[in-house]
Amino acid sequence: MTTYFIRRLLLVPVTFIAITLMIYAILRIVPGGPIEQAEAKLRTAQMTEGGSSGGDSGEEDLQLSGDDMKVLEEYYSLDQPIPIGYLQWLGVLPRKRSHRVPRVPAEEHATEHSRLLAAKAGGDDALRATEEETGYYVDEHDDLVQLAFRPLHRLNEARNAAEEQLGDLLEPKDLVEYRGRVYRPLTESEEKENKRFIEEAESLKVGGYAKRGHLLEHLAERDMTIGRSGFAMLVGPDERAKEPALYERAEALAAARVLANRKLSVIEEERGFQIEKDGRIYGIETGFHGILQLDFGTSYTYNKPVLSLIGSKMEVSIQFGLIGYFLTWLICVPLGVMKAIKHRTGFDTASSVLVFIGYSIPGFVLCLLLLSTVAVHVDWLPLGGYKPDNIEEMGAWEALLGRIRHMLIPVAGYMIGGFATMTILMKNSLLDNLGADYVRTAFAKGLSEKRVIFVHALRNSLIPVTAGIGHALGLLFAGSFLIEKTCNIDGMGLLGFEAIQLRDYPITLGLMVFLILIRLFGNILSDVIWALIDPRIRFGK
């Protein structure tokens, strides 16, 4: 039997990799995945702040700005093939990660700050000498900045200035620039002439990030791209001849932006630092950052590490699930035994009617009924939550009673789901064993009815019931999002439900990892419990 369990344990990582790889690949391929959702949020934020500049519009209107896309690509390893990206997400292969370089606190370097401000008024020579001596300089806002980062800031200022000027130049004429070339909106005749081609482009556009490269290649076949108001056509020589200075200026600004980006890329590769357009500096490091290192990423919604979020919510779900499961056992096992002993009596019939009425009511519906019909009419039964708001101010006994009052309705919802199943399973299992040969032999030897039922038959009858203990772990850890939503309990189920609603994929993937592992080890636990209860069971033989 040891060999059997060793084989089962060895299959856990294989099964885990197969499931997670499939889900990771689906998120990378299908439209509406995490990248498209993040893009939509960032684009909405950009529009709220006043829109993007025309200098980058050809690319930004297609998806995101280069900086934003780079962040997403780093997190999801989108610049890698799916197998490599998956291994990086798993933490088997190294990948790049960025961390914010904090600003220099002026209050902690007041002496250097005051010296630089004084030298700034004294002339360039004095300012340069003071900068080299202190290792800092003051920017246009008189903020203190490390001198080593001056090249980054200057290149960033040059890039931003080129983009701003490019936008001011092209936007009034509804022109866009993409990869150093200027495009204009399609005319009606061009749209009719390229109707079939544009329909194919629209179908690729619906595919989102997964089809981004194919869309650009498709449009490039006819010197087209996509801009603010739809598809755009490359400006031809005749049109350029009407305003040559404008197009030459636009191409020069685009070239300046490209040059600044290239120099920034060189600094990133050689020095390990990058700068965002708003001046924030990030340090770049390469290492193992993935699931195996317990690095589940950061939630988009809560802006907190996913692992800490899951840990804080798991406590709540385990609390309700565990209590509900134990109470189900304490009620259903004795009730099933009584129904088996009093089979086909009035008690058996009446209890069966009640059990199946309860089985027909979903747990969250029962909670909703109790909240709307009972809790609203009594003061001691709360309408939601899992603990009193002022529990920190209560004594131990009062806090315990407060938690019990908050648990009554949710626990009832957890119990009713498995109530009928466990009761009927216990009854039928005991009836089967009462008709077995070893029970008749025990009666023939003169053993009392209680001893035969509760010592011999009950133990074997519990085997089918205990088989579900391992599978119930998933509910204990994951919770029921419908019950938690109804009772306003901030647990794992509600966290997963909101993550799916808000497309918070770091949380979704993190919960997926936990639930897969819980189910896999839960199946093994069920086999172990079977073997412990019934010595006749020997796996692997």
Side-chain angles (χ1 to χ4, degrees):
M1 190 163 63
T2 304
T3 305
Y4 169 79
F5 284 112
I6 291 175
R7 289 202 304 266
R8 288 291 303 272
L9 288 172
L10 291 175
L11 283 173
V12 168
V14 177
T15 309
F16 174 82
I17 290 173
I19 297 174
T20 53
L21 176 59
M22 179 181 64
I23 296 175
Y24 178 87
I26 290 173
L27 291 177
R28 282 280 300 266
I29 293 172
V30 301
I35 304 307
E36 285 76 9
Q37 297 305 318
E39 286 172 346
K41 290 181 181 179
L42 288 172
R43 187 181 300 180
T44 301
Q46 290 172 352
M47 293 174 63
T48 304
E49 292 170 2
S52 58
S53 66
D56 239 5
S57 57
E59 190 168 357
E60 285 184 358
D61 287 326
L62 178 62
Q63 298 291 338
L64 290 172
S65 69
D67 290 340
D68 295 331
M69 182 59 69
K70 190 171 184 179
V71 172
L72 295 172
E73 287 180 346
E74 283 182 2
Y75 182 79
Y76 289 102
S77 300
L78 295 177
D79 54 342
Q80 304 292 338
I82 287 179
I84 302 299
Y86 169 77
L87 292 176
Q88 290 180 340
W89 172 79
L90 197 62
V92 176
L93 294 179
R95 62 174 172 174
K96 289 183 178 181
R97 291 294 295 272
S98 59
H99 61 276
R100 174 81 181 274
V101 177
R103 289 183 174 273
V104 179
E107 61 275 7
E108 297 180 11
H109 299 271
T111 303
E112 293 89 340
H113 194 208
S114 60
R115 286 183 61 192
L116 286 166
L117 290 176
K120 188 177 182 181
D124 294 340
D125 293 337
L127 180 59
R128 280 194 294 268
T130 307
E131 288 174 349
E132 292 176 1
E133 185 179 345
T134 60
Y136 298 99
Y137 76 97
V138 289
D139 59 14
E140 65 274 10
H141 305 293
D142 287 338
D143 292 329
L144 201 60
V145 184
Q146 295 95 325
L147 188 61
F149 292 146
R150 173 174 274 176
L152 277 175
H153 283 284
R154 285 181 173 174
L155 287 169
N156 184 54
E157 290 169 3
R159 175 179 61 183
N160 292 344
E163 288 187 1
E164 184 178 355
Q165 293 177 38
L166 192 56
D168 294 340
L169 184 67
L170 298 181
E171 194 168 333
K173 297 182 178 296
D174 201 17
L175 300 173
V176 295
E177 175 273 336
Y178 178 63
R179 292 185 177 179
R181 307 171 78 184
V182 181
Y183 296 78
R184 57 163 175 77
L186 291 173
T187 62
E188 292 185 6
S189 60
E190 288 173 336
E191 288 180 353
K192 293 178 180 179
E193 182 181 347
N194 297 280
K195 183 178 179 181
R196 182 67 179 274
F197 183 84
I198 292 174
E199 289 176 352
E200 294 175 359
E202 289 285 0
S203 64
L204 290 172
K205 184 181 176 182
V206 173
Y209 183 85
K211 299 294 184 181
R212 179 173 181 262
H214 297 293
L215 174 58
L216 292 174
E217 291 176 2
H218 178 73
L219 293 173
E221 293 177 4
R222 300 194 182 181
D223 291 330
M224 294 170 62
T225 189
I226 184 168
R228 289 181 297 274
S229 56
F231 297 111
M233 179 71 71
L234 179 68
V235 175
D238 295 338
E239 295 169 295
R240 289 173 60 91
K242 296 177 182 178
E243 295 183 275
L246 182 146
Y247 295 106
E248 290 175 3
R249 177 64 176 160
E251 291 172 356
L253 289 171
R257 187 195 63 202
V258 170
L259 180 60
N261 282 328
R262 286 177 181 173
K263 289 183 178 180
L264 288 171
S265 298
V266 171
I267 293 176
E268 179 182 339
E269 291 295 328
E270 295 181 353
R271 304 296 182 182
F273 291 99
Q274 69 177 15
I275 187 169
E276 300 294 328
K277 292 180 180 179
D278 59 3
R280 291 176 297 174
I281 296 177
Y282 291 84
I284 309 298
E285 60 180 12
T286 301
F288 295 91
H289 308 281
I291 302 303
L292 295 181
Q293 291 77 32
L294 300 181
D295 185 352
F296 289 78
T298 302
S299 164
Y300 295 157
T301 307
Y302 301 94
N303 197 26
K304 293 181 180 179
V306 171
L307 191 60
S308 64
L309 277 173
I310 293 177
S312 63
K313 310 298 183 183
M314 188 179 292
E315 175 188 359
V316 178
S317 293
I318 291 177
Q319 178 180 320
F320 284 93
L322 198 61
I323 293 174
Y325 191 67
F326 280 143
L327 288 178
T328 302
W329 266 76
L330 290 176
I331 296 175
C332 293
V333 170
L335 181 59
V337 172
M338 289 296 296
K339 287 175 64 63
I341 294 173
K342 298 185 177 183
H343 184 51
R344 292 181 179 176
T345 63
F347 173 80
D348 182 34
T349 303
S351 60
S352 294
V353 171
L354 294 177
V355 165
F356 282 105
I357 289 176
Y359 181 70
S360 65
I361 302 176
F364 76 95
V365 174
L366 176 65
C367 292
L368 190 61
L369 290 173
L370 292 175
L371 288 171
S372 59
T373 58
V374 179
V376 295
H377 298 295
V378 294
D379 295 333
W380 58 271
L381 202 57
L383 292 173
Y386 69 98
K387 64 179 181 181
D389 295 334
N390 60 338
I391 191 171
E392 292 80 7
E393 304 172 2
M394 297 179 175
W397 178 249
E398 190 179 1
L400 177 62
L401 291 178
R403 283 187 176 273
I404 291 175
R405 288 190 292 107
H406 280 77
M407 284 184 179
L408 290 176
I409 292 179
V411 167
Y414 276 100
M415 288 177 58
I416 199 169
F419 194 79
T421 304
M422 187 174 291
T423 301
I424 300 305
L425 182 62
M426 185 68 237
K427 173 194 173 183
N428 293 339
S429 179
L430 184 57
L431 285 175
D432 290 341
N433 281 281
L434 290 176
D437 292 339
Y438 75 91
V439 172
R440 287 195 292 268
T441 302
F443 278 120
K445 288 182 177 181
L447 295 178
S448 65
E449 182 180 16
K450 289 185 178 179
R451 181 174 178 81
V452 172
I453 293 175
F454 294 102
V455 175
H456 297 281
L458 181 59
R459 180 180 179 181
N460 291 330
S461 301
L462 285 172
I463 294 175
V465 180
T466 55
I469 292 179
H471 303 294
L473 285 175
L475 178 61
L476 299 185
F477 283 90
S480 170
F481 76 85
L482 288 173
I483 293 177
E484 292 181 4
K485 182 71 174 177
T486 304
C487 299
N488 194 26
I489 299 172
D490 196 12
M492 287 273 284
L494 186 60
L495 178 67
F497 173 72
E498 291 178 345
I500 293 174
Q501 267 193 328
L502 301 173
R503 305 296 179 92
D504 196 329
Y505 283 85
I507 292 181
T508 305
L509 290 171
L511 290 174
M512 174 198 71
V513 169
F514 273 93
L515 294 180
I516 290 172
L517 291 176
I518 289 169
R519 177 54 63 91
L520 291 175
F521 284 105
N523 292 338
I524 297 176
L525 179 61
S526 294
D527 291 345
V528 172
I529 293 173
W530 270 21
L532 292 176
I533 291 179
D534 191 349
R536 297 171 299 175
I537 296 176
R538 287 295 180 266
F539 295 104
K541 292 187 177 180

